[in-house]
Amino acid sequence: SQTIHQWPATLVQPVGSPLSLECTVEGTSNPNLYWYRQAAGRGLQLLFYSVGIGQISSEVPQNLSASRPQDRQFILSSKKLLLSDSGFYLCAWATDSGNTIYFGEGSWLTVV
Amino acid sequence: RKEVEQDPGPFNVPEGATVAFNCTYSNSASQSFFWYRQDCRKEPKLLMSVYSSGNEDGRFTAQLNRASQYISLLIRDSKLSDSATYLCVVNSGGTYKYIFGTGTRLKVLA
């Protein structure tokens, strides 16, 4: 069966510090991968998606970036965090056919 | 106009009540539709897909109206454990993007 994991689960970072969130998927090949952010009391905002290694589409201009160095690995990064980057970050995967999207457990980021 | 819109609620209903949520979407090319459930501080999890002919899963019934571009979720015989936020999700075929509504909060009261 397919599984998705992301880490770390929780982190508190000072403004201006770097960020790296990692996500891996097991049990499937060539998944579409996604990073979403959910601010407090808000809906899920699509940040990035990837349909293959090295292929990244950005949905929202911001100081975040994403990379996909391997087929089942997706990384969210920032060189300098802003207070507004605080939120709940969710990695997700789906097949190419537009069926169900599955989420990792999420990472809570607080920028102080 | 948002691509997917939901009434944020909250809907406070007594146990055993029937409650319905609606969701509208703006892209007429949308092809896949889902309802997800999200508990507080947790990741969203699939509740059910929504099919053109409507579908039922136990106490939950989902309907799709393509002409009016909305989907609905009906929960019968509400349980305390149904308290959560329900997210409407739309996928526009060919774009790989899943667009989420902001969610409708449901609180079932004893």
Side-chain angles (χ1 to χ4, degrees):
Chain A
S1 64
Q2 301 87 1
T3 58
I4 177 169
H5 296 290
Q6 64 176 104
W7 65 92
T10 306
L11 63 167
V12 180
Q13 296 283 105
V15 169
S17 65
L19 171 73
S20 181
L21 300 178
E22 190 164 340
C23 171
T24 59
V25 180
E26 298 294 334
T28 187
S29 296
N30 197 31
N32 294 333
L33 297 175
Y34 304 82
W35 280 110
Y36 285 85
R37 176 172 60 200
Q38 188 173 37
R42 306 282 294 276
L44 272 72
Q45 179 186 34
L46 179 61
L47 301 176
F48 301 94
Y49 69 92
S50 171
V51 300
I53 296 174
Q55 301 178 60
I56 308 295
S57 296
S58 174
E59 289 296 301
V60 181
Q62 59 212 324
N63 68 322
L64 298 172
S65 62
S67 62
R68 184 170 178 173
Q70 300 181 45
D71 180 46
R72 292 170 294 176
Q73 184 184 26
F74 207 24
I75 298 170
L76 183 70
S77 304
S78 175
K79 292 182 179 178
K80 289 186 177 182
L81 284 168
L82 306 173
L83 287 174
S84 58
D85 291 324
S86 295
F88 189 38
Y89 288 81
L90 290 155
C91 182
W93 76 274
T95 63
D96 204 27
S97 55
N99 288 329
T100 308
I101 184 169
Y102 299 94
F103 288 89
E105 305 94 332
S107 300
W108 286 96
L109 170 66
T110 303
V111 182
V112 297
Chain B
R1 181 185 175 189
K2 292 181 180 178
E3 291 186 72
V4 178
E5 293 199 70
Q6 295 182 250
D7 181 342
F11 284 61
N12 295 324
V13 303
E15 271 188 292
T18 295
V19 61
F21 307 138
N22 286 331
C23 166
T24 59
Y25 60 94
S26 60
N27 187 347
S28 60
S30 299
Q31 295 186 9
S32 302
F33 309 88
F34 310 89
W35 282 103
Y36 276 70
R37 170 188 170 132
Q38 186 175 24
D39 293 298
C40 187
R41 298 183 68 83
K42 297 288 188 180
E43 75 275 22
K45 293 183 178 178
L46 177 70
L47 178 64
M48 58 196 305
S49 301
V50 186
Y51 303 120
S52 297
S53 56
N55 48 299
E56 188 175 304
D57 183 2
R59 297 182 293 109
F60 300 85
T61 301
Q63 297 279 354
L64 167 64
N65 185 319
R66 286 189 183 273
S68 301
Q69 294 182 205
Y70 79 82
I71 67 174
S72 65
L73 176 68
L74 183 76
I75 305 176
R76 292 183 300 277
D77 189 23
S78 299
K79 312 290 185 190
L80 292 175
S81 57
D82 293 334
S83 298
T85 297
Y86 291 84
L87 303 171
C88 170
V89 185
V90 174
N91 175 274
S92 298
T95 68
Y96 309 105
K97 292 197 295 184
Y98 293 78
I99 306 300
F100 285 73
T102 52
T104 299
R105 285 184 56 203
L106 171 65
K107 189 168 185 179
V108 181
L109 307 172

